[in-house]
Structure formats: C-alpha cells, structure tokens
Amino acid sequence: MEQKTTNKIAIVPVITMFFMFAMISFVTNMAAPFGNIWKNQYEWAGMLGNMMNFLAYLIMGIPAGKLMQRIGYKKTALWALGVGFVGMAVQYLSSRVGADVATFTVKGEPVMLNFLVYLLGAFVCGFCVCMLNTVVNPMLNLLGGGGNRGNQLIQTGGTLNSLTGTLTPLLVGALIGTVTDRTSMTDVTPLLFIAMGVFALAFVIILCVNIPEPARSRIIRGGRDKYSAWSFRHLVLGVIAIFFYVGIEVGIPAELNFYLTDDPLCGAAIGGAVAAIYWLLMMVGRACSAAISGKIATRTQLSFVALLAIVLIVVAIIVPSSVRISMPGYSVADGFAMFQVPLSALFLVLCGLCTSLMWGGIFNLSVEGLGKYTEQASGIFMMMVVGGGVMPFLQNALASSIGYMGSYWLVAAMLAYILFYALVGSKNVNTDIPVE
C-alpha cells in the first residue's frame, strides 16, 4: 500500500518534467529557422543565433549542476523559466530597435545593432534551456530508477520534446513565408509572444508542484572526495558522444532547411515544413523507444540507430541532387501541399527516427552507476551540449566550400563515434569507485 502511494505521488513530478522537456525543444528550435531571416541579410550569419544558444551551455553547464545541488531541482527550474522569459523579450526587442544603427563591419558590410540584440537574446535563452536540461534529465532518470526504466521515462519526455520541435520550424516557416529583402524579426513576433506566455504559465505551474529533491541527500559531507564524475571512463566518453550528438541532431535539419531554402523550387516555408518532418519522426522514434525500452537494452537500441543513421547519411550524400521526390510542405500561395524536393531530403529526415533515441540513450548509459555523482555529471553533460552550436556552425562553413550535401560527411564521422560509444565506450569499467 505504501508503494502505491509513492507511485501516485511520483506521477505529478514526472508530468511536470515532461512539460519542461517540451519547452526545451520549443525554445531551442527557434534559432535555426530564425537564421533564415538573418542569413538573408548577412550571408555568414545563418547559424550564429544557434551557436549563441548552445554557447551558453558551455558557460552554464557546470554552474547549473552546482546550482541544482545547492538550491534544489525546483528552484533551479524556476530560475530557468525566468531567464527564458527575459531571453524571449530580448529577441523581441531586436525587431524594434537598432535596424538603422551600424556597429562594425564584416566582409565590408555593416552589422546593425538589431542583430547583436538578437544574438544576446539567443544567448540568454541558451542559459534557460541549459538549466532546464540539467534538471529534467537526471530527474526523469532517477524517478524511473535508472536502467531501462529511466531511459523509458527520458524517451517519453523526449517524445513531447520532439512534438514541439516539429511545430517550431513549421510555425516559423509559415510566418516567414518566402524570404525577401523585407523579411525581418517582426514577422515572427507572434511566436515570441506565445513563447513568453508559455514561460509565464510554466513558472506558475512549477511553483505549485512538489518536486523530489534527491540532490539534498547526496551532498558529500566532511573532507574532500578523491573521486568525481570525471573519474568514470564511460561518463567521459559519453560527454564526447553528447557533444557530437547534439551537433548531429541540430545540424541535419538546420542544413537541410538552408539547402531547401536556397533551392529555386522550394523556399523557406517548404524548407521549414520538410525540416519539421524530421522532428516529427524524432517524436515517432522516441515514442517507439519508450514502448520497447523495458524489454530491449539501451545499448542495443543506440548501436542499431547509430549504424542505420550512418547508412542514411551516406545514401543522402551520394544521391544526385537532380533526383526529386514529392514531400509535404507549405507555401503562402498553395498552403499545405506536396512539393518536389531533392530525394536526399527524404533520407535526411528519416534520420530523425535514429537521432530520436540518442539523447536519452547516451545520457542513460553515461550516468549509470554514478550514484552521488549524478548531479555533477548532469552539469558536465549540459556543458557539452555546446556541440549543438559548434558542430552545425562548422558544418555550415563546410557547406560554403564543398556544398550542402558534402558537409554531411562531418555528420557521418560523428555518428561513427556514437556507434563506438554504444558498442565499447559505454561500459562502466570503474565499478570499484564508491557511489553511495
């Protein structure tokens, strides 16, 4: 009877964590489609907002883990939501100020103040999602008791994360329509207002919900501990894996969006809609993983999807751009309809089924057996999410020199490392370290 009561009480924090998981993707996935607006003004600026968003992880990752240990999961989440509201407000200000104020020049063209304000807003939002991620992932893993069950809860939350990830580029693409010289951040202000409203609502919800505070019981008392989360090999290799993974997850749809936006038969709206299919398939993949995680080991799932993703990426690179296929999209003139896009786009969006499992799988395997070092590990993990800014930026730079599809060789190389991690690097070889 006592166990039943505990399970019933745990439902509320689990649902709360799911809601926060959805918000993370909603905020993060604004950066890449917003890049179409700025890329039209500054050729080199397409992925800078995304990079600023993820750069915040590098700075805030470890402090977020320490903050969670000091003030708890709930207060950290409340701080994150407040920071997110401010970040969205700053991005909104970029549509109202400084469009006629030059600051400095890049490649001979003046950079206006409004772009710098936008980058600041994206950076602040990065602090928000870093803090939310630091709370959500270990909490779901702990509520599930770790192991396959912990992975199952993370994948279920990831399903909602993918749902908002699907809607965001679709909404941005619909609001922008066709990118022209007149396209600006004012075209997407409705979405920014929606985001601010969601942050305010989430703040009230979290304020009223009781959330377990396992970090409080894991504070190491008396003396210095000779071990840390860094002492575990599978965590260190997992940190590298997550750095590459987030670069893969963001880079595949972002570069595809740019590719289709520049395609004369497509455009920003169609590119956004096709990229949204990628996030939709991530939702499908995570839902499937949540259904089978109680029976199929996390390591097995991660190995399979990493190998399949490599095959899909290589096929996408090899297929000639002249070969086209009909895929659903959106245009201002025709609304939702079937549009002719390069066949490579199909193989790239199918990668969403594979990447869907990777975040939860890598996190689950990396923190397995860490015990009292879990919160520290979560902070380290979040720091390395900066890969979602660094690697897509490098991929975009590669695209400028060797073409959009050629840049996906970088993605294939990162997937190869994740396959190695799943097969070899994820095994805990430090079981002699006390974790209680």
Side-chain angles (χ1 to χ4, degrees), residues 49 52-53 55-57 59 118-128:
M52 292 298 291
N53 193 286
L55 180 62
Y57 278 89
I59 298 171
Y118 162 73
L119 291 181
L120 175 62
F123 186 64
V124 173
C125 281
F127 281 111
C128 160

Side-chain angles (χ1 to χ4, degrees), residues 228-242 366 370 380-381 384 417 421 425 430:
S228 71
W230 290 110
S231 303
F232 295 84
R233 192 198 72 168
H234 70 292
L235 173 74
V236 174
L237 296 179
V239 164
I240 299 172
I242 213 68
S366 296
L370 263 59
I380 295 169
F381 239 69
M384 297 312 291
Y417 177 84
Y421 180 72
N430 304 107

